């Protein structure tokens, strides 16, 4: 049974196909396919050793029956040769592949692992992976358990190259470490960022000039053009807002941390309520509920901009007569800033994509209410920089709750304020 399975072409053929697809697809899916291939390869190794173990006595005892012995030998050789093929295919994969045993010792690695991760053969076989990747971001990630893939970190052996790494468990507490060179993607992303930032910057001055001249024109001079002038002013203001939002996003994207300032929540919340009332102009009932005295550690300007986007959305997407509640409350392990409205709501299918740039549920509704389609992207970036997350709950026709959830490390109560004051005299 076992020997028939091993002698069958199906499994090795499927492995080779997966391997080639993995290389060809060239994405994370590719990496996963390659990983699956390698796990299959390992399984074959285990099966083969079982097979050898089981068949050796058979081979010896059946030495008298020559044809049977020859047949088994031919099969064994064929399987061994396919195994060598698979192994050399895995060896030439462009992604770094390292097999680790249950105690994090290196069992095997391919050529790309030598190049990208700096492993050396045969020196590093059997050594602890953390020792080999010492002082790299990868080592810290492995030490923390590597539960999530690690994106875009400097390659241990190449300061100018970036890798994305994944750790896959298999077999009995063994692991497969995969690392892919993503330098070209990082470069493309950088080009995209620079392009958006430069275009926005270049558009700023001409727009300011156009806007300035439009303000100088008096509709009373040419009454028949008054509606045209109004529309031109509204559109130039909207373009100006899009450019400002794009510049804000570019700045947030290039930042990897925010200032650790004390953001005083009580005055901030009071000013958000005023903003909501000014935007609503009496069309909504706006309430403010402050349930905790925590302040936040972070950037006052960026947090104000994020919270204010949520408040402005609540006003813009809630019909006249609706309710808007702003709340600041403590949670089990942090605090939560929430804006709840009784507005149009959002169908579930859209929720996951709302923080993408220019993603809108209804373009006309967004445009009519003066939206740029960038507000929630800004919110997401600001929250990421504060290690906080955005939670969105919504029901069409009933309303939505957008909440910013902060962990306790970002909060300041009376005691922490003194500590922080001590660190920053
Ligand atoms: P916009 O400038 O278009 O409002 P945002 O990024 O702020 O851009 O929001 C993205 C989309 O999410 C909006 O176009 C709108 O469709 C939806 N949205 C955001 N907030 C709300 C809300 N409170 N109620 C209903 N829909 C909302």
């Amino acid at each position: 049974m076992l020997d028939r399975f091993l002698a069958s072409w199906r499994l090795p053929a499927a492995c080779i196909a997966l391997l080639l697809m993995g290389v060809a697809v060239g994405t994370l899916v590719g990496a996963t396919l390659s990983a699956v291939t390698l796990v299959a390869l390992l399984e074959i190794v285990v099966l083969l050793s079982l097979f050898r173990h089981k068949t050796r006595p058979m081979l010896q005892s059946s030495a008298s029956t020559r044809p049977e012995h020859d047949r088994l030998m031919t099969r064994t050789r064929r399987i061994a040769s396919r195994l060598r093929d698979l192994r050399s295919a895995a060896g030439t994969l462009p992604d770094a592949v390292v097999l680790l045993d249950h105690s994090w010792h290196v069992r095997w690695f391919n050529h790309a692992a030598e190049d990208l991760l700096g492993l050396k053969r045969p020196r590093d076989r059997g050594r602890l992976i953390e020792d080999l990747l010492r002082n790299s971001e990868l080592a810290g990630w492995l030490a923390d358990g590597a539960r999530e893939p690690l994106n875009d970190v400097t390659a241990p052996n190449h300061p100018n190259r970036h890798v994305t790494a994944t750790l896959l468990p298999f077999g009995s507490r063994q692991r497969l470490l995969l690392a892919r060179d993503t330098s070209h993607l990082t470069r493309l992303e950088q080009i995209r960022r620079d392009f958006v930032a430069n275009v926005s910057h270049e558009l700023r001055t001409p727009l300011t000039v156009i806007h300035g001249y439009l303000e100088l024109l008096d509709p009373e001079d040419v009454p028949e053009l008054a509606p045209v002038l109004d529309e031109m002013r509204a559109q130039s203001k909207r373009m100006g807002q899009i450019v400002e939002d794009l510049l804000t996003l570019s700045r947030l994207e290039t930042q990897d941390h925010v200032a650790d300032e004390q953001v005083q929540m009580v005055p901030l919340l009071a000013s958000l309520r005023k903003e909501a009332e000014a935007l609503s102009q009496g069309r909504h009932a706006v309430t403010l509920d402050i349930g905790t005295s925590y302040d936040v550690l972070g950037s006052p300007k960026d947090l104000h901009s994020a919270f204010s986007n949520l408040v402005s959305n609540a006003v813009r997407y809630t019909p006249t007569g609706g309710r808007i509640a702003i709340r600041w409350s403590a949670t089990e392990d942090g605090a939560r800033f929430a804006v709840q409205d009784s507005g149009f709501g959002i169908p579930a299918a859209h929720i996951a994509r709302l923080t993408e740039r220019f993603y809108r549920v209804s373009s006309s509704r967004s445009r009519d209410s003066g939206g740029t389609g960038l507000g929630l992207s800004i919110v997401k970036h600001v929250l990421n920089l504060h290690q906080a997350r955005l939670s969105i709950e919504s029901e069409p026709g009933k309303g939505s709750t957008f909440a910013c959830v902060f962990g306790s490390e970002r909060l300041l109560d009376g005691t922490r304020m003194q500590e922080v004051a001590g660190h920053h005299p």
Side-chain angles (χ1 to χ4, degrees):
M1 176 69 190
L2 184 65
D3 57 332
R4 234 181 290 147
F5 170 70
L6 279 166
S8 140
W9 264 105
R10 259 176 259 149
L11 188 58
C15 290
I16 291 177
L18 277 169
L19 196 71
L20 294 175
M21 277 165 66
V23 176
V25 173
T27 58
L28 255 187
V29 179
T32 314
L33 288 176
S34 315
V36 171
T37 307
L38 278 157
V39 173
L41 171 71
L42 275 172
E43 269 163 17
I44 297 177
V45 176
V46 174
L47 282 171
L48 186 71
S49 59
L50 260 176
F51 170 77
R52 280 200 179 129
H53 179 72
K54 285 201 175 168
T55 50
R56 195 166 292 129
M58 243 171 85
L59 288 175
Q60 284 159 3
S61 67
S62 61
S64 50
T65 54
R66 203 71 217 168
E68 177 68 2
H69 171 264
D70 290 350
R71 213 159 48 85
L72 277 172
M73 284 309 286
T74 317
R75 267 188 204 166
T76 311
R77 261 185 240 114
R78 207 184 299 147
I79 291 162
S81 128
R82 282 173 205 158
L83 248 176
R84 268 195 304 278
D85 289 349
L86 276 172
R87 213 179 161 116
S88 74
T92 54
L93 270 177
D95 294 344
V97 180
V98 186
L99 300 185
L100 301 167
D101 69 10
H102 64 283
S103 53
W104 300 91
H105 289 91
V106 172
R107 280 182 57 196
W108 178 85
F109 50 89
N110 66 353
H111 299 305
E114 295 185 73
D115 180 33
L116 266 186
L117 309 180
L119 305 190
K120 287 263 175 314
R121 217 184 302 242
R123 183 197 73 186
D124 293 338
R125 282 224 182 106
R127 290 183 63 192
L128 255 184
I129 186 72
E130 275 183 60
D131 290 346
L132 300 176
L133 302 177
R134 200 170 279 286
N135 294 330
S136 72
E137 286 162 282
L138 276 176
W141 168 73
L142 285 171
D144 289 343
R147 271 173 280 278
E148 297 287 325
L150 180 69
N151 288 323
D152 215 19
V153 293
T154 310
N157 204 31
H158 291 277
N160 298 326
R161 277 159 74 179
H162 286 84
V163 292
T164 289
T166 317
L167 190 73
L168 300 168
F170 74 93
S172 55
R173 294 171 54 223
Q174 300 176 76
R175 295 163 187 99
L176 195 62
L177 169 65
L178 292 175
R180 166 159 292 198
D181 186 347
T182 50
S183 312
H184 60 297
L185 291 178
T186 314
R187 236 183 345 266
L188 282 178
E189 181 63 11
Q190 187 60 45
I191 292 170
R192 182 193 66 77
R193 273 186 210 156
D194 291 350
F195 176 75
V196 174
N198 291 339
V199 168
S200 313
H201 197 75
E202 292 298 326
L203 285 176
R204 206 185 209 173
T205 315
L207 271 173
T208 314
V209 173
I210 293 172
H211 197 68
Y213 280 125
L214 284 174
E215 286 301 315
L216 284 180
L217 293 177
D218 188 349
E220 283 181 8
D221 293 344
V222 201
E224 65 276 23
L225 286 184
V228 178
L229 198 57
D230 274 353
E231 183 60 15
M232 285 167 79
R233 277 183 187 159
Q235 292 299 340
S236 87
K237 197 169 158 214
R238 214 170 89 77
M239 264 166 92
Q241 191 55 54
I242 293 177
V243 165
E244 289 310 316
D245 280 359
L246 282 173
L247 284 169
T248 305
L249 264 178
S250 299
R251 176 179 60 78
L252 291 170
E253 273 184 339
T254 46
Q255 259 175 255
D256 56 6
H257 68 282
V258 276
D260 277 350
E261 283 174 49
Q262 181 182 346
V263 183
Q264 295 188 336
M265 285 304 284
V266 173
L268 175 56
L269 291 161
S271 91
L272 288 169
R273 181 201 195 147
K274 278 201 188 121
E275 280 175 37
E277 284 169 345
L279 259 175
S280 158
Q281 300 198 322
R283 290 179 293 121
H284 308 93
V286 181
T287 57
L288 170 63
D289 175 11
I290 305 182
T292 171
S293 60
Y294 279 130
D295 279 341
V296 177
L297 197 59
S299 155
K301 185 172 146 235
D302 291 337
L303 284 176
H304 179 247
S305 143
F307 295 163
S308 160
N309 266 309
L310 296 183
V311 167
S312 134
N313 281 354
V315 175
R316 292 189 296 116
Y317 298 111
T318 303
T320 303
R323 292 179 311 280
I324 291 161
I326 304 171
R327 294 198 186 89
W328 175 235
S329 53
T331 62
E332 230 169 63
D333 46 7
R336 185 172 183 267
F337 168 82
V339 183
Q340 183 178 15
D341 64 54
S342 61
F344 301 119
I346 304 157
H350 294 279
I351 291 188
R353 302 195 56 193
L354 289 183
T355 55
E356 290 173 20
R357 288 160 186 238
F358 297 114
Y359 190 87
R360 295 154 166 136
V361 177
S362 152
S363 302
S364 56
R365 197 176 272 164
S366 159
R367 232 167 256 140
D368 294 347
S369 63
T372 61
L374 295 168
L376 291 180
S377 285
I378 294 180
V379 173
K380 190 186 86 179
H381 276 88
V382 169
L383 293 186
N384 281 350
L385 286 171
H386 288 82
Q387 295 78 46
R389 66 181 173 85
L390 179 66
S391 124
I392 306 173
E393 284 164 22
S394 189
E395 211 178 309
K398 293 218 164 136
S400 319
T401 302
F402 284 76
C404 309
V405 186
F406 293 90
S408 55
E409 70 286 353
R410 278 276 161 199
L411 300 177
L412 292 169
D413 55 13
T415 355
R416 288 250 354 244
M417 272 181 222
Q418 281 163 15
E419 273 175 37
V420 174
H423 286 139
H424 305 281

